[in-house]
Amino acid sequence: MSKIFRRVFILNFIISLIGLLLYSQLTLMPFEKEFFYLAIVLLLSSIIISFLVSKIIVLPIYMNLKNNQEEFEKSNNDMKNITHQKSFELELVNTALQEKYKEQKELAETLQEKLTLETLNREKKEQLLIHQSRLAGIGKISINMLNESEELISSLNFILQNINTIHKQIDFKNELVTKSMEQLHRVVDEMNMKNKELKNFINPNEVKKEFYLDEIVMESLGVLEKTFMNHNIKIDYNFSKSISLFGFPTEFSQVIFNILQNAKDALIEKNITPKKVFVSIKKDNEFAYVFIVDNAGGISQNVIDSIFEPYFTTKSHRKASGLGLFISKIIIEENMQGNLEFENASEGAKFIIKIPLKDEEK
């Protein structure tokens, strides 16, 4: 109130002062008695008028403007608060929508992955059924062929025995004939081994039993020893003895035979000089290991993932059926709960056989 009054009074005083000065100039009576009376009256009037004007007119207008300003500021603040609240709510909704979109995207990707896996699994099952059907057909044919092969091998053995008997009777000595007879005996032995392998695979009749790993490996080496010598293939080995396993010794022997036979064929086919095969047996706390390494140069990276597939072979069709390593992997991984792996070593192929130890061997 005092601030408004002062401003109104000063305005009235200035107006009164101007009017008084104009009056004195017009009447030519400055500083007369009437002049001072008039000045006092004007001063009092200015005070009274200033008070009345500030009280009745200016103060209500000022208060109204002040209230309007306060209401405007309040409305503005409320609007800011509402705007802030709405912005916050929109951010929450946007965040929630983004989370939902992310969840939906992840769900779609997961469903796509599951669909892809399901499709792949279905294709694998179909391929497996096709393979099983083919193997079933091969099994039936193979049984008949094996029976016929056994008869032919028996006939060959009988003929060889007769020839040996005749040679002894007539005391005929010829180095070429002797070597040829030895080669025939080795061929017959190898044929017997392959026949047993296929027969046991098609109609397994062996029961699980305990066996010593080094003895079985030595048996397989013994079968091929002369053949390796004839082709100038040197066999080195390093065995940890008395490693006892529980499984199918005959089948395991066939796996060793298959891998050694493949090494022999690769060394002969590539005409490697010198020809070498290294066999080692080791064990740790959980597993026994057989390592078979040759220096035939290994297998091309393009086909390395296919060597255990049925009917796959790097040899000519006359020499191989493509089932040897496939059967070997089944024997090791399914029949003996082990693992058969392949890798290219520095000079050639390296096969790694891993078999779980018996509990008392761990």
Side-chain angles (χ1 to χ4, degrees):
M1 175 65 185
S2 59
K3 188 175 181 181
I4 296 171
F5 174 76
R6 283 197 303 271
R7 289 178 179 177
V8 174
F9 173 74
I10 291 169
L11 179 62
N12 285 330
F13 179 77
I14 292 171
I15 293 170
S16 297
L17 184 61
I18 293 170
L20 187 62
L21 292 173
L22 290 172
Y23 176 77
S24 65
Q25 292 294 327
L26 292 173
T27 59
L28 301 176
M29 294 189 305
F31 307 110
E32 294 290 333
K33 186 177 180 181
E34 289 81 0
F35 178 80
F36 286 106
Y37 287 150
L38 182 61
I40 292 170
V41 170
L42 287 173
L43 177 63
L44 292 174
S45 299
S46 297
I47 294 170
I48 294 169
I49 292 169
S50 298
F51 176 79
L52 292 173
V53 169
S54 61
K55 182 72 174 177
I56 297 171
I57 299 173
V58 177
L59 182 62
I61 293 172
Y62 173 76
M63 293 303 294
N64 188 30
L65 289 173
K66 187 176 182 180
N67 290 334
N68 288 337
Q69 183 182 2
E70 289 177 353
E71 289 179 1
F72 177 77
E73 289 178 353
K74 185 180 179 182
S75 299
N76 189 36
N77 291 332
D78 291 341
M79 186 63 67
K80 286 182 179 178
N81 292 331
I82 292 171
T83 304
H84 180 73
Q85 181 67 24
K86 292 296 182 182
S87 298
F88 180 71
E89 290 176 358
L90 285 173
E91 287 180 1
L92 290 178
V93 171
N94 186 39
T95 303
L97 287 173
Q98 287 180 351
E99 290 293 330
K100 287 290 183 183
Y101 173 75
K102 187 177 179 181
E103 290 177 4
Q104 292 294 327
K105 186 177 179 182
E106 290 176 352
L107 180 61
E109 290 175 352
T110 303
L111 290 173
Q112 183 63 38
E113 289 177 0
K114 288 183 177 179
L115 180 61
T116 304
L117 288 174
E118 184 66 27
T119 303
L120 290 174
N121 288 333
R122 186 176 298 173
E123 290 177 355
K124 286 181 180 179
K125 287 179 181 178
E126 289 176 356
Q127 291 176 357
L128 183 61
L129 287 173
I130 292 170
H131 281 311
Q132 287 175 344
S133 299
R134 293 179 68 183
L135 288 174
I138 290 172
K140 292 178 182 178
I141 297 170
S142 297
I143 289 292
N144 294 329
M145 293 179 64
L146 286 173
N147 291 332
E148 293 177 2
S149 295
E150 285 182 352
E151 293 178 2
L152 291 173
I153 291 170
S154 297
S155 300
L156 281 173
N157 276 325
F158 180 73
I159 294 170
L160 287 173
Q161 288 175 3
N162 288 338
I163 293 172
N164 284 331
T165 303
I166 293 169
H167 280 179
K168 288 177 183 179
Q169 287 176 354
I170 64 176
D171 195 20
F172 178 78
K173 293 182 181 180
N174 184 288
E175 186 177 351
L176 178 61
V177 173
T178 303
K179 286 185 177 180
S180 298
M181 292 297 294
E182 289 176 356
Q183 288 177 352
L184 282 172
H185 280 293
R186 283 193 296 271
V187 169
V188 170
D189 289 339
E190 288 182 14
M191 289 175 66
N192 268 323
M193 176 68 76
K194 289 181 177 179
N195 271 13
K196 287 179 182 179
E197 174 188 355
L198 287 171
K199 204 164 187 178
N200 286 331
F201 179 73
I202 296 168
N203 286 320
N205 53 14
E206 186 179 16
V207 295
K208 281 190 173 183
K209 61 182 178 181
E210 184 179 354
F211 64 93
Y212 287 103
L213 184 56
D214 58 303
E215 293 179 359
I216 296 301
V217 175
M218 285 302 297
E219 285 181 11
S220 299
L221 287 172
V223 173
L224 291 168
E225 186 176 8
K226 290 183 180 179
T227 304
F228 274 46
M229 289 176 61
N230 288 336
H231 292 285
N232 297 317
I233 300 173
K234 183 181 179 182
I235 302 178
D236 290 327
Y237 50 86
N238 181 15
F239 289 176
S240 294
K241 299 196 174 188
S242 301
I243 299 176
S244 178
L245 299 178
F246 188 75
F248 303 100
T250 303
E251 289 187 357
F252 189 82
S253 175
Q254 291 164 2
V255 172
I256 303 297
F257 179 86
N258 280 340
I259 297 172
L260 291 173
Q261 186 83 333
N262 283 343
K264 180 203 76 173
D265 292 340
L267 289 166
I268 295 170
E269 184 176 345
K270 295 180 181 180
N271 196 23
I272 303 298
T273 304
K275 302 176 179 69
K276 293 186 293 183
V277 175
F278 178 71
V279 183
S280 64
I281 297 174
K282 299 177 182 178
K283 74 170 183 175
D284 57 20
N285 294 331
E286 299 290 332
F287 298 95
Y289 300 87
V290 180
F291 301 93
I292 302 175
V293 187
D294 62 50
N295 67 332
I299 296 175
S300 171
Q301 290 292 334
N302 297 330
V303 299
I304 199 169
D305 294 329
S306 304
I307 63 171
F308 293 111
E309 293 180 3
Y311 317 113
F312 176 82
T313 179
T314 58
K315 307 171 189 176
S316 65
H317 291 288
R318 293 178 303 164
K319 293 183 177 180
S321 64
L323 292 173
L325 290 178
F326 171 68
I327 293 172
S328 298
K329 195 169 182 66
I330 290 175
I331 289 172
I332 296 298
E333 297 188 356
E334 295 186 11
N335 296 359
M336 301 192 69
Q337 289 71 53
N339 195 17
L340 174 59
E341 297 176 353
F342 170 84
E343 63 185 42
N344 279 322
S346 58
E347 295 184 350
K350 180 179 182 180
F351 285 89
I352 304 166
I353 303 171
K354 182 171 73 173
I355 304 292
L357 292 171
K358 288 180 62 181
D359 291 338
E360 56 267 24
E361 290 286 326
K362 294 181 181 179

